[in-house]
Amino acid sequence: MEPKNELFLPAQRREAAETSIRPGTTFRQDAWRRLKKNRLAMLGLFIIGFMILLAVCGPWLSRLSYADQNLLQANRPPSAAHWFGTDNLGRDLFIRVLYGARISLAIGIAASLINLFIGVVYGGIAGFFGGRVDRIMMNIVDILYGIPTLLYVILLMVVLKPGLTNIFFALGIAYWLGMARIVRGQILSSKEQEYVLAARTLGASPWRILFRHLIPNCMGPIIITMTLAIPEAIFTEAFLSFIGLGVSAPMASWGVLASEGITSLRAYPFQLFFPALAISITMLAFNFLGDGLRDALDPRLRR
């Protein structure tokens, strides 16, 4: 006979036993418990929270502004007075990096929210109604997929002209295709479930079934996709600012700072190092969190 003491059970069976003796544990609570066990995901969450805190509160801690110039202090290396040094106009790089975090994070989050709205609605309608509606809508997605996304964004920015609002719009409408495909696939696999048939039997309208029952049950993949889309939007904004299609001076995103720093890389490498480091750490943190959320929200990936 197998020993009944759970201490002698294999790891997977012991975790299943632990779950079975928690009848009051909801899916969200169980997902949060599993997420907390993922050290890289929690590290990513901590870094993101710390970056947001610095972006919101950091610039208030200094008497300097991101646009204050002092040519007598130009190109100074990091010191007690200027932690990240100064640029070629004598502006404090530490304050500009913190202010750039506001813009870059705001662009990443806003673009992801626009992506979320368009992708969820579009993919949900295509997957739920199926048939000719699905074929027409997904053919449009396939055609747009044939255009490289970065080229699509650059063309939009050339037409719309550089600016913060236009970046929100361009990134938001350029990255919804992947979200639409994911939501459509989830809806197709869920719309024949028993709870959908029960809702139809009770007289629920198609729109109520879609937005009240089906989409909420697809939130796991949606949240994961949105989390991974934020660093992609941040990197794309940095690239646009690097080539001169991003935010306008004297506003400072991380891409603008990297573009300014590359011109003096050999003489003053710290001017590129700090904004590039901020971009890298933030993207890595969001990827850690996205991978952790995938493992926590997908029961098939439980270990």
Side-chain angles (χ1 to χ4, degrees):
M1 294 180 60
E2 294 183 3
K4 295 183 178 181
N5 191 334
E6 65 177 17
L7 294 176
F8 295 96
L9 292 174
Q12 292 181 352
R13 295 182 59 189
R14 185 163 63 248
E15 183 175 352
E18 291 174 358
T19 304
S20 65
I21 63 176
R22 291 192 303 271
T25 302
T26 65
F27 175 74
R28 292 180 182 177
Q29 292 172 337
D30 188 55
W32 172 243
R33 178 184 61 84
R34 283 182 278 156
L35 182 64
K36 288 192 296 185
K37 291 182 178 180
N38 190 321
R39 295 182 179 180
L40 287 179
M42 296 308 295
L43 175 62
L45 183 61
F46 173 78
I47 293 174
I48 293 169
F50 185 67
M51 283 287 188
I52 292 174
L53 182 64
L54 284 179
V56 173
C57 303
W60 295 345
L61 303 178
S62 174
R63 58 183 176 81
L64 299 175
S65 168
Y66 70 93
D68 289 343
Q69 300 180 17
N70 185 354
L71 295 178
L72 297 177
Q73 298 289 327
N75 298 319
R76 294 296 177 89
S79 63
H82 303 284
W83 292 357
F84 290 177
T86 60
D87 63 7
N88 60 340
L89 295 177
R91 295 173 295 191
D92 186 86
L93 278 178
F94 178 70
I95 299 301
R96 287 177 66 78
V97 168
L98 293 184
Y99 187 83
R102 289 184 176 182
I103 297 178
S104 295
L105 291 174
I107 288 174
I109 294 173
S112 297
L113 289 175
I114 298 173
N115 163 32
L116 173 72
F117 176 77
I118 299 176
V120 168
V121 173
Y122 194 96
I125 292 174
F128 182 73
F129 290 99
R132 181 178 297 178
V133 173
D134 182 34
R135 288 195 299 271
I136 293 175
M137 295 180 72
M138 297 316 295
N139 282 338
I140 295 174
V141 170
D142 292 337
I143 292 172
L144 293 177
Y145 250 116
I147 305 174
T149 306
L150 194 56
L151 177 61
Y152 184 29
V153 174
I154 292 174
L155 291 175
L156 284 174
M157 290 305 301
V158 170
V159 173
L160 298 175
K161 306 300 180 183
L164 193 57
T165 304
N166 291 338
I167 291 178
F168 288 154
F169 178 75
L171 294 181
I173 67 173
Y175 285 98
W176 61 272
L177 302 175
M179 177 71 78
R181 282 187 165 184
I182 290 173
V183 173
R184 171 185 175 267
Q186 293 293 319
I187 296 297
L188 286 175
S189 63
S190 302
K191 68 179 184 178
E192 300 301 332
Q193 298 292 328
E194 289 80 0
Y195 66 89
V196 178
L197 298 177
R200 285 174 174 165
T201 303
L202 293 174
S205 66
W207 298 108
R208 180 179 177 84
I209 294 173
L210 176 60
F211 290 104
R212 186 67 183 271
H213 299 287
L214 285 172
I215 290 179
N217 281 280
C218 303
M219 287 308 296
I222 290 173
I223 291 173
I224 295 167
T225 304
M226 181 179 175
T227 303
L228 296 175
I230 292 176
E232 185 176 8
I234 291 174
F235 183 79
T236 304
E237 180 278 326
F239 175 76
L240 291 175
S241 297
F242 188 84
I243 63 176
L245 294 176
V247 298
S248 304
M251 297 177 67
S253 71
W254 287 337
V256 170
L257 296 177
S259 178
E260 293 174 350
I262 197 69
T263 59
S264 55
L265 176 60
R266 291 187 177 181
Y268 310 106
F270 61 88
Q271 294 182 4
L272 175 62
F273 174 76
F274 290 110
L277 181 64
I279 295 172
S280 302
I281 291 176
T282 303
M283 293 185 65
L284 191 63
F286 273 107
N287 281 309
F288 283 161
L289 179 60
D291 290 342
L293 286 172
R294 180 198 61 194
D295 295 341
L297 294 173
D298 191 345
R300 295 171 298 179
L301 296 177
R302 292 184 62 180
R303 296 289 185 265

